[in-house]
Amino acid sequence: MNLLTVEKLTKHFGGLAAVQELDFTVAEGEILALIGPNGAGKTTVFNMLTGLTGVTAGEARFKDTRLNGLPSYQVVELGLGRTFQNIRLFGKMSVLSNVMVGFHCRTRTGLFGALLQTPRASREFRQARERAVELLAMFGLEGVRDEISRNLPYGQQRGVEIVRALATDPQLLLLDEPAAGLNIAETEVLMEHIARLRSDLKKTILLIEHDMKMVMNISDRIVVLDYGVKIAEGGPETIKADPRVIEAYLGTGFRKSHA
């Protein structure tokens, strides 16, 4: 079953075609990587899928629901969660509070119930807190849950952002360059976490990433963009050997080092 179907998705900014007639699907339980040079249109695709920018033509569907024109909060409620290339934590809030924000879209208690601290509101808060602590523990972050998020090392901030996205309980998790700024050891740990998101939490993942070792090791399929156009799609071995991909993105040295 396909969770996400993208057909002829197109975005123009004035006279510039950032994404042109893009087609791909993401199957339930899959890890799909979207790669390409800087400026290839990858983050624009994420922004169209999550309601941050409009669609010029074509469409995207999450299961049977058309995403075109939906505001971001409705996209999240449908079951799409995302992180951003540039970390967007609430810097003055604690790690735990940042994660708790993610649960807001899944709670049923309204503003007045929360203000009056009704039994239902208290129960929902307690359940959300317990789940937040569990998710932080998955990423080895339970020990810093009371720390102010901006005081954490960069790698841990990346982890907190992923955990906050998980708090929205997404079926499809969109990760925008999660390894950006991480060292080799941190990237290895991140790869293990992403594998566990699928195996333990049954998440489907759409990933933008420039770390090719990571992409080739964890992806089931890869879609390659160049100047907003899809130039290749397939498994890691197919992508490694595609001359168009090597020329546009990977470089001739990639073929030698992965021969």
Side-chain angles (χ1 to χ4, degrees):
M1 170 185 166
N2 289 331
L3 281 186
L4 181 69
T5 302
V6 172
E7 295 180 341
K8 306 297 182 186
L9 196 65
T10 300
K11 178 62 181 180
H12 291 164
F13 293 103
L16 174 66
V19 179
Q20 301 184 60
E21 298 191 339
L22 177 62
D23 296 317
F24 69 90
T25 60
V26 183
E28 186 174 9
E30 184 175 34
I31 298 178
L32 178 74
L34 186 64
I35 71 170
N38 289 329
K42 306 180 297 297
T43 295
T44 299
V45 173
F46 269 29
N47 289 343
M48 285 191 283
L49 296 178
T50 56
L52 294 181
T53 190
V55 175
T56 301
E59 71 171 13
R61 297 189 305 276
F62 182 70
K63 296 189 283 190
D64 295 326
T65 302
R66 194 169 187 259
L67 297 177
N68 298 43
L70 292 182
S72 295
Y73 75 90
Q74 288 186 5
V75 174
V76 173
E77 290 173 352
L78 283 174
L80 279 78
R82 75 168 290 181
T83 64
F84 292 85
Q85 182 177 351
N86 299 315
I87 293 174
R88 297 190 182 184
L89 296 176
F90 297 103
K92 296 182 180 180
M93 290 170 55
S94 72
V95 167
L96 184 60
S97 295
N98 265 278
V99 177
M100 292 288 287
V101 169
F103 286 98
H104 177 71
C105 70
R106 300 299 175 198
T107 58
R108 297 176 180 273
T109 304
L111 175 62
F112 290 107
L115 291 175
L116 295 173
Q117 296 184 334
T118 63
R120 180 175 184 173
S122 298
R123 183 173 62 253
E124 283 193 337
F125 179 85
R126 183 175 63 254
Q127 291 171 344
R129 182 183 175 88
E130 290 172 355
R131 183 57 178 157
V133 172
E134 290 176 0
L135 292 174
L136 286 168
M138 279 191 66
F139 278 72
L141 295 167
E142 69 275 21
V144 297
R145 68 187 190 185
D146 296 321
E147 296 289 335
I148 299 301
S149 61
R150 69 181 180 187
N151 294 338
L152 295 181
Y154 186 84
Q156 288 187 328
Q157 290 188 41
R158 280 280 180 198
V160 174
E161 187 170 47
I162 294 174
V163 172
R164 185 176 62 183
L166 288 172
T168 69
D169 194 23
Q171 291 178 268
L172 175 61
L173 180 61
L174 282 63
L175 301 177
D176 193 347
E177 296 196 33
L182 303 187
N183 60 37
I184 294 174
E186 290 170 333
T187 300
E188 292 286 344
V189 171
L190 176 63
M191 288 168 58
E192 294 174 4
H193 287 322
I194 291 175
R196 290 184 63 201
L197 294 181
R198 173 164 62 177
S199 63
D200 297 356
L201 298 184
K202 310 303 180 186
K203 301 301 181 185
T204 302
I205 296 168
L206 176 58
L207 171 78
I208 294 174
E209 186 52 62
H210 282 290
D211 187 314
M212 285 301 100
K213 179 181 177 182
M214 178 176 171
V215 168
M216 297 298 172
N217 282 336
I218 70 172
S219 303
D220 299 306
R221 288 189 301 123
I222 301 168
V223 172
V224 186
L225 295 183
D226 191 29
Y227 293 104
V229 176
K230 184 173 76 173
I231 61 171
E233 179 177 353
E237 294 303 319
T238 299
I239 296 302
K240 287 179 186 178
D242 192 307
R244 295 169 300 176
V245 178
I246 293 170
E247 180 180 357
Y249 184 44
L250 298 179
T252 55
F254 183 86
R255 176 184 287 172
K256 295 176 182 177
S257 63
H258 289 74

